[in-house]
Amino acid sequence: MIFVDSSVFERSDGATLAGAVEAIAEFSNLRQVDADGNITWNGVNVIHRNANDVGLLELGRSVPFSAENNNQTVDLLYLLGVGADELPVSVEELKGSGKFIVYQGSHGDELAAAADVVLPGCAFSEKNSVFVNMEGRSQKGRFALAGPGLARDDWKIIRALSEVCPGETLPYDDEEALQTRLEQLLPSASSMGYVESSQFIPENNWLLTKVMSRGRVSKTPFTPVNYDFHLQGHAVARASQTMAKCSQTLSESRSNFA
């Protein structure tokens, strides 16, 4: 089997490396397909580092903040559940860009303080939800607490905003209608715990990757990725003394498995 960290494909020669992985997989017979070309066993595994990256890919979307898609030309930036440490630029740069910033989320950090409008959303423990894990299996989350104050479910906020956009009112009035639409876009949402093929990604897309990514591999050496998951990615974790101690242990051990 092959395990590849997603950061490999963020290099300048990422496409070439993707093609190399597919060539090795083919030579080593790491994928098994049936007579119709559908995968029955896959021995190539990409390890993603960000929450719900796989869910984005299942819906035909890429990671939102990449070097190729930095949103430099937009006038309005709508940030849904995004933390300051997840942006490709600093908060100071963002504030000086002249963009109108809307922040929607459950825990405000310096990014929320810099926003022109803040829309309070419920935390994961305060709403029903669907998570897609690293394997592509959908899992349901159930609310345990009611959201405080003016906090609302994220989908309800977006549904309310759609009403003031002429001709763009979303046809979702309850969670059942939303779940039905989600199952149309994300087949695994209707079979919790099972892996389903994405309708946005062809079953044989690895063949296209192998053909279109021929090139030269850079001489830049690979370096370990130490992602401080105790502090990065969430304002609550960064405010926690316990997480700060875990982060210190992580830096001392130089391991992602502290």
Side-chain angles (χ1 to χ4, degrees):
M1 299 181 71
I2 297 177
F3 291 88
V4 186
D5 188 277
S6 60
S7 63
V8 168
F9 307 120
E10 296 172 6
R11 291 166 45 109
S12 60
D13 57 351
T16 300
L17 292 170
V21 169
E22 298 305 336
I24 294 171
E26 182 182 42
F27 179 80
S28 305
N29 196 27
L30 292 181
R31 283 197 180 91
Q32 297 176 8
V33 297
D34 58 22
D36 297 323
N38 299 315
I39 299 175
T40 57
W41 187 82
N42 185 6
V44 180
N45 304 274
V46 177
I47 310 301
H48 294 271
R49 292 173 291 127
N50 301 304
N52 224 16
D53 273 1
V54 176
L56 282 172
L57 294 171
E58 290 277 331
L59 291 172
R61 306 288 294 183
S62 62
V63 178
F65 300 116
S66 63
E68 293 75 24
N69 181 25
N70 56 19
N71 297 306
Q72 293 296 314
T73 60
V74 299
D75 297 319
L76 182 146
L77 195 58
Y78 197 113
L79 302 173
L80 175 57
V82 176
D85 62 328
E86 297 176 271
L87 292 174
V89 297
S90 67
V91 174
E92 289 71 24
E93 288 181 84
L94 196 62
K95 289 173 63 176
S97 66
K99 294 178 176 61
F100 189 87
I101 303 172
V102 178
Y103 176 87
Q104 180 178 331
S106 56
H107 294 84
D109 58 4
E110 56 269 34
L111 183 58
D116 297 286
V117 174
V118 175
L119 302 174
C122 291
F124 73 93
S125 56
E126 300 164 350
K127 60 189 175 187
N128 294 328
S129 54
V130 175
F131 299 90
V132 180
N133 71 9
M134 190 171 63
E135 293 182 298
R137 304 176 192 272
S138 292
Q139 300 169 318
K140 278 194 174 182
R142 301 291 187 183
F143 79 92
L145 303 167
L150 296 175
R152 298 290 185 271
D153 286 6
D154 290 321
W155 77 268
K156 292 182 178 180
I157 295 174
I158 296 173
R159 171 64 174 78
L161 286 175
S162 74
E163 292 184 1
V164 298
C165 299
E168 300 295 338
T169 301
L170 296 172
Y172 315 123
D173 297 322
D174 50 42
E175 288 190 5
E176 288 72 20
L178 194 65
Q179 178 68 23
T180 299
R181 178 55 176 159
L182 181 61
E183 291 175 4
Q184 293 172 350
L185 297 173
L186 189 69
S188 63
S190 61
S191 53
M192 292 292 164
Y194 293 91
V195 176
E196 300 285 349
S197 299
S198 170
Q199 65 176 7
F200 296 97
I201 305 175
E203 280 282 353
N204 61 346
N205 70 305
W206 73 87
L207 297 176
L208 187 63
T209 300
K210 186 181 67 173
V211 171
M212 296 185 64
S213 54
R214 293 170 179 167
R216 297 180 64 86
V217 175
S218 170
K219 293 183 179 180
T220 303
F222 293 95
T223 56
V225 177
N226 282 320
Y227 181 75
D228 192 350
F229 51 84
H230 295 105
L231 297 183
Q232 289 179 255
H234 208 287
V236 175
R238 292 198 297 276
S240 167
Q241 294 182 2
T242 300
M243 290 295 100
K245 292 178 181 178
C246 291
S247 175
Q248 183 179 2
T249 302
L250 173 70
S251 62
E252 292 173 352
S253 66
R254 297 183 180 276
S255 169
N256 279 332
F257 299 96

